[in-house]
Amino acid sequence: MNVSGVELEFDFYDADQLEVYERENKVLVDKIQNPDLYEGKSTADSLRFQCKIVNEFFDNVFGYGTAERLFHGKNNIKDHMEAFGIVTDAAMDSSEEFRAMAAKYSPNRAERRAEQKSQRHNTKSFQDFKGNPYVKGKQKNPYHGKSMNPVNQ
């Protein structure tokens, strides 16, 4: 994925990599949303603090030095949040893709297909039983159109 002009490799389908992403994402959210960590800080210091948290996220998820490659030592919160947004969007896209793939190959789908196949088979068997003259290898039903009650014959 391309983040701020830097190509970053990440596989959201790899359980080990995804585990690191999920852990670091939670750490980032917890720190940024903790009001106690901002106590006594100016607005500028708060922004630097948030940039530091995002830097730690990128270094922990993508490898040490990634934050420097992305942000060149600057503390621009807009750049940091946009870069973080690109990664979270990629994670969400892969999550949606995974759900679609899981639904396509889910056991419920296999059960539905087996049930549909069984219903088609049962319908064909019922038609054969009725004596359909067009079913290959079957004789015409001699009782077709006649009453089964000998009194009515």
Side-chain angles (χ1 to χ4, degrees):
M1 87 187 84
N2 189 307
V3 179
S4 301
V6 176
E7 194 64 32
L8 299 177
E9 293 296 321
F10 196 83
D11 186 357
F12 287 101
Y13 298 104
D14 182 297
D16 297 330
Q17 289 185 24
L18 183 60
E19 182 178 41
V20 172
Y21 167 78
E22 289 176 335
R23 179 186 66 232
E24 294 302 321
N25 190 46
K26 182 175 178 356
V27 167
L28 179 140
V29 170
D30 289 347
K31 283 183 178 179
I32 285 184
Q33 291 182 349
N34 185 345
D36 296 336
L37 298 176
Y38 297 94
E39 210 169 293
K41 287 185 168 65
S42 68
T43 302
D45 285 339
S46 294
L47 295 180
R48 280 188 201 93
F49 175 69
Q50 290 177 353
C51 288
K52 178 182 175 232
I53 294 169
V54 173
N55 288 345
E56 290 170 356
F57 168 84
F58 276 100
D59 284 344
N60 292 337
V61 173
F62 297 99
Y64 183 77
T66 302
E68 181 61 34
R69 288 178 33 219
L70 293 173
F71 309 116
H72 311 287
K74 295 182 179 179
N75 288 309
N76 183 313
I77 193 63
K78 181 180 177 208
D79 293 344
H80 281 68
M81 296 314 288
E82 285 178 356
F84 179 72
I86 290 168
V87 175
T88 57
D89 286 348
M92 291 176 75
D93 290 346
S94 66
S95 179
E96 290 172 14
E97 188 177 328
F98 179 76
R99 275 195 286 278
M101 184 174 48
K104 181 177 178 182
Y105 298 109
S106 73
N108 290 342
R109 180 176 182 266
E111 289 173 12
R112 288 190 306 271
R113 289 180 56 124
E115 184 177 322
Q116 290 170 349
K117 185 176 180 180
S118 174
Q119 286 176 351
R120 285 192 303 266
H121 177 71
N122 290 343
T123 302
K124 184 179 181 329
S125 296
F126 180 71
Q127 288 172 344
D128 291 349
F129 176 76
K130 286 187 353 184
N132 187 341
Y134 300 106
V135 175
K136 192 173 186 178
K138 295 288 181 183
Q139 299 293 325
K140 187 171 181 179
N141 184 348
Y143 297 106
H144 184 70
K146 296 182 183 175
S147 170
M148 295 294 283
N149 186 344
V151 176
N152 292 338
Q153 291 185 359

